[in-house]
């Protein structure tokens, strides 16, 4: 993929200046109606821990909304590794919350929440045409939009402590062998090379998903061939190579002694105190670090993932979205809440208050990418990550990552792990009656 995502977004954002006045007037009219809402209404909102912004900005917006309208938003948080199954179960028995936060990609949305059966169409909402087109498509089924989203495109990097690298004369790697040599040097000097947190249930699998550019170079039209069941993941040699490299790092001690039980939120302190040299995090992590450790300003570097000699930037176009339960007793109130969140004023407030992101998926709102990061990213071609481009991966990620954890512990070989991933994908293809699997 030869487009540069930041350049594209900068062009789109030029439209903001021409629309903000009209949109503000529309929002004011909508809020006037919302203010008439019954002050006894409570909207329940279910989500996973990682879907809820860590900055507290979403709770702040909810509190402001309650002050303006009397409608209370009751946020109910479930652990990341449980939320997908919990939500499916609640939907099946008619006990889902009024509003549901779900991970989103165009390939697994039906499997996750089946919007046409369970969610309210938002096609008539004023804001639909303002949301970025690719995101709008990912929130839709058969051309009907069911959700609203906020965060801009996501990508993952290795962040490193510059002081530690300088102490041992290390420079950012450009391939896997350099990456491994850096880790060996750090390990030999009693510094944990990389912070990893397998117990989160999702973090460690991203190493495999994010370097999809490696797999696409090996197999032209890879996603089309996987999605039409022409080939299996076991046919892609580089997928096995990356799994082998991941297992090697785990068994070589490069993730430290506690990588199976670590919490990912503790990597800030580990990087700041120098006990760990690198961590694997998404865009915006550096700013979050500086919020807690301002003394680290200027001391953090970053590089793209070197697994499999990767040289592309993996992009997640759409991260997650909010959806309204079709069986809610408060559909109109939930729609009004979405209208409130979609106002230019609140979108700007969201971006300003959420330090983990540099953009929202609303082109009228200018991004806040640091120039140095923007220049670095624009050096690379981009590729859509595996879980966003291939069927039966995103919706089954926790099951897949359990296999990877077993592989780290030498309970599975990389070959066995990859074969079981292929089996999971085939099982889902049959269960979901995909025509390329059952036709």
């Amino acid at each position: 993929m030869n487009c540069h995502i930041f350049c594209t977004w900068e062009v789109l954002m030029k439209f903001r200046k021409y629309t903000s006045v009209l949109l503000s007037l529309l929002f004011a009219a909508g809020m006037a109606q919302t203010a008439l809402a019954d002050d006894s209404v409570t909207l329940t909102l279910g989500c996973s821990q990682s879907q809820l912004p860590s900055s507290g900005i979403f709770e702040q917006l909810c509190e402001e909304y309650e002050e303006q309208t009397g409608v209370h938003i009751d946020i109910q948080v479930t652990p990341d590794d449980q939320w997908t199954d919990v939500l499916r179960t609640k939907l099946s028995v008619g006990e889902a919350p009024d509003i549901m936060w779900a991970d989103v990609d165009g390939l697994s949305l039906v499997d996750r929440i089946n919007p046409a059966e369970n969610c309210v169409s938002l096609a008539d909402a004023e804001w639909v045409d303002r949301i970025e087109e690719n995101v709008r498509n990912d929130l839709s089924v058969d051309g009907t939009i069911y959700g609203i989203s906020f965060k801009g495109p996501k990508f993952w990097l290795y962040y490193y402590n510059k002081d530690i690298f300088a102490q041992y004369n290390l420079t950012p790697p450009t391939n896997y062998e350099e990456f491994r040599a850096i880790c060996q040097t750090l390990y030999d000097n009693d510094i944990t090379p990389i912070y990893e947190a397998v117990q989160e249930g999702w973090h460690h699998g991203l190493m495999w998903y994010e370097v999809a550019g490696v797999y696409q170079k090996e197999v032209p039209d890879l996603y089309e061939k996987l999605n039409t069941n022409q080939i299996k993941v076991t046919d892609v040699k580089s997928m096995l190579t990356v799994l082998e490299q991941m297992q090697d790092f785990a068994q070589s001690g490069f993730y430290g002694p506690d990588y199976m039980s670590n919490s990912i939120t503790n990597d800030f302190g580990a990087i700041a105190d120098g006990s760990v040299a690198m961590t694997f995090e998404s865009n915006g992590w550096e700013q979050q670090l500086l919020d807690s450790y301002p003394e680290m300003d200027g001391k953090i570097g970053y590089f793209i993932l070197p697994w499999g000699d990767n040289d592309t930037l993996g992009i997640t176009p759409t991260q997650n979205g909010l959806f309204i339960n079709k069986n809610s007793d408060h559909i109109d109130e939930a729609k009004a809440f979405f209208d409130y969140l979609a106002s230019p004023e609140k979108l700007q407030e969201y971006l300003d208050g959420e330090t983990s992101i540099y953009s929202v998926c609303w082109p009228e709102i200018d991004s806040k990418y640091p120039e140095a990061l923007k220049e670095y990213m624009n050096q690379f071609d981009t590729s859509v990550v595996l879980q966003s481009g291939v069927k039966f991966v995103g919706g089954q990620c926790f099951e897949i990552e359990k296999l990877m954890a077993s592989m780290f512990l030498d309970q599975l070989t990389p070959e066995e792990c990859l074969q079981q991933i292929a089996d999971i994908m085939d099982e889902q293809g049959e269960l979901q009656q995909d025509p390329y699997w059952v036709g």
Side-chain angles (χ1 to χ4, degrees):
M1 182 176 181
N2 293 319
C3 64
H4 294 305
I5 191 162
F6 299 111
C7 297
T8 302
W9 276 75
E10 290 296 333
V11 172
L12 290 171
M13 288 168 188
K14 298 298 183 183
F15 290 101
R16 178 190 180 198
K17 309 302 181 184
Y18 300 95
T19 59
S20 59
V21 174
L22 175 59
L23 293 171
S24 296
L25 290 172
L26 290 168
F27 171 67
M31 284 304 300
Q33 291 184 331
T34 302
L36 301 176
D38 183 351
D39 61 6
S40 66
V41 169
T42 292
L43 294 173
T44 54
L45 188 155
C47 64
S48 71
Q49 185 65 57
S50 64
Q51 288 166 344
L52 188 66
S54 59
S55 64
I57 184 59
F58 189 79
E59 292 96 321
Q60 178 181 319
L61 291 171
C62 290
E63 291 170 3
E64 293 173 1
Y65 187 69
E66 183 172 5
E67 291 174 1
Q68 294 179 29
T69 68
V71 175
H72 176 64
I73 312 298
D74 177 20
I75 301 174
Q76 303 169 353
V77 181
T78 300
D80 289 341
D81 61 347
Q82 301 174 26
W83 175 235
T84 299
D85 290 337
V86 166
L87 181 55
R88 284 178 179 144
T89 300
K90 286 182 176 291
L91 285 170
S92 69
V93 298
E95 297 179 357
D98 298 307
I99 298 171
M100 304 163 286
W101 219 321
D103 289 337
V104 170
D105 64 70
L107 297 173
S108 66
L109 185 58
V110 173
D111 176 45
R112 291 179 189 275
I113 57 173
N114 196 357
E117 293 292 327
N118 296 310
C119 302
V120 175
S121 168
L122 302 174
D124 294 333
E126 168 275 324
W127 46 262
V128 167
D129 290 337
R130 292 165 42 218
I131 200 167
E132 199 277 322
E133 182 179 5
N134 289 333
V135 175
R136 185 167 64 245
N137 292 338
D138 282 347
L139 295 165
S140 302
V141 176
D142 295 331
T144 299
I145 186 170
Y146 292 95
I148 187 171
S149 187
F150 306 102
K151 295 182 178 181
K154 190 173 190 175
F155 54 90
W156 290 76
L157 300 168
Y158 275 102
Y159 292 87
Y160 66 93
N161 185 314
K162 288 183 177 179
D163 288 345
I164 295 176
F165 268 47
Q167 182 179 353
Y168 296 102
N169 297 314
L170 303 174
T171 57
T174 60
N175 56 51
Y176 172 73
E177 288 303 322
E178 293 176 1
F179 188 35
R180 197 188 191 290
I182 289 170
C183 291
Q184 189 66 59
T185 296
L186 295 167
Y187 181 81
D188 291 343
N189 285 278
D190 297 323
I191 296 174
T192 298
I194 300 171
Y195 190 96
E196 186 50 73
V198 174
Q199 69 90 19
E200 299 286 353
W202 56 269
H203 184 264
H204 58 288
L206 293 170
M207 294 182 279
W208 192 65
Y209 305 142
E210 295 290 318
V211 294
V214 174
Y215 316 142
Q216 291 170 316
K217 286 183 178 179
E218 177 187 343
V219 181
D221 301 320
L222 173 67
Y223 285 2
E224 179 184 358
K225 291 177 180 178
L226 287 171
N227 288 332
T228 55
N229 202 21
Q230 297 179 51
I231 63 172
K232 310 292 185 184
V233 292
T234 47
D235 296 319
V236 186
K237 294 180 180 179
S238 52
M239 287 186 171
L240 177 61
T241 296
V242 173
L243 287 177
E244 291 172 338
Q245 293 171 352
M246 290 165 58
Q247 184 193 53
D248 174 46
F249 268 45
Q251 296 184 354
S252 296
F254 293 165
Y255 299 142
D258 301 318
Y259 77 98
M260 292 296 293
S261 59
N262 282 338
S263 171
I264 192 58
T265 56
N266 291 334
D267 65 349
F268 297 108
I271 291 291
D273 67 21
S275 60
V276 174
M278 294 175 279
T279 190
F280 174 51
E281 285 280 7
S282 61
N283 48 305
W285 178 86
E286 182 180 1
Q287 184 55 55
Q288 290 180 288
L289 173 72
L290 297 181
D291 288 343
S292 298
Y293 301 93
E295 69 274 15
M296 295 301 293
D297 190 19
K299 297 183 178 181
I300 297 297
Y302 39 75
F303 54 87
I304 62 171
L305 283 62
W307 304 105
D309 295 336
N310 173 58
D311 61 0
T312 62
L313 179 65
I315 296 292
T316 303
T318 311
Q319 299 183 44
N320 50 54
L322 292 171
F323 300 82
I324 300 172
N325 184 354
K326 184 180 286 187
N327 295 319
S328 169
D329 293 329
H330 304 296
I331 290 175
D332 288 341
E333 290 87 349
K335 284 184 173 181
F337 177 56
F338 281 18
D339 291 344
Y340 161 85
L341 294 174
S343 71
E345 175 189 0
K346 296 306 171 184
L347 290 170
Q348 187 66 59
E349 188 175 340
Y350 183 98
L351 178 59
D352 292 342
E354 179 48 58
T355 55
S356 70
I357 62 173
Y358 291 126
S359 66
V360 290
C361 55
W362 301 75
E364 71 207 54
I365 306 298
D366 293 333
S367 71
K368 57 179 184 181
Y369 286 102
E371 284 300 319
L373 177 61
K374 191 187 302 185
E375 291 175 7
Y376 178 75
M377 294 298 102
N378 279 331
Q379 298 178 55
F380 304 102
D381 290 339
T382 61
S383 61
V384 173
V385 297
L386 199 67
Q387 71 271 35
S388 296
V390 177
K391 296 176 182 176
F392 318 129
V393 175
Q396 284 66 49
C397 61
F398 286 106
E399 190 175 355
I400 290 172
E401 283 145 27
K402 287 178 181 178
L403 298 174
M404 294 177 180
S406 296
M407 181 187 71
F408 290 167
L409 297 173
D410 210 23
Q411 296 169 353
L412 289 175
T413 66
E415 291 84 358
E416 291 169 336
C417 180
L418 190 59
Q419 180 60 58
Q420 291 191 35
I421 293 172
D423 293 343
I424 288 171
M425 295 171 68
D426 283 342
E427 179 183 8
Q428 288 300 314
E430 294 172 5
L431 286 173
Q432 296 182 39
Q433 293 293 293
D434 187 290
Y436 291 105
W437 271 259
V438 299

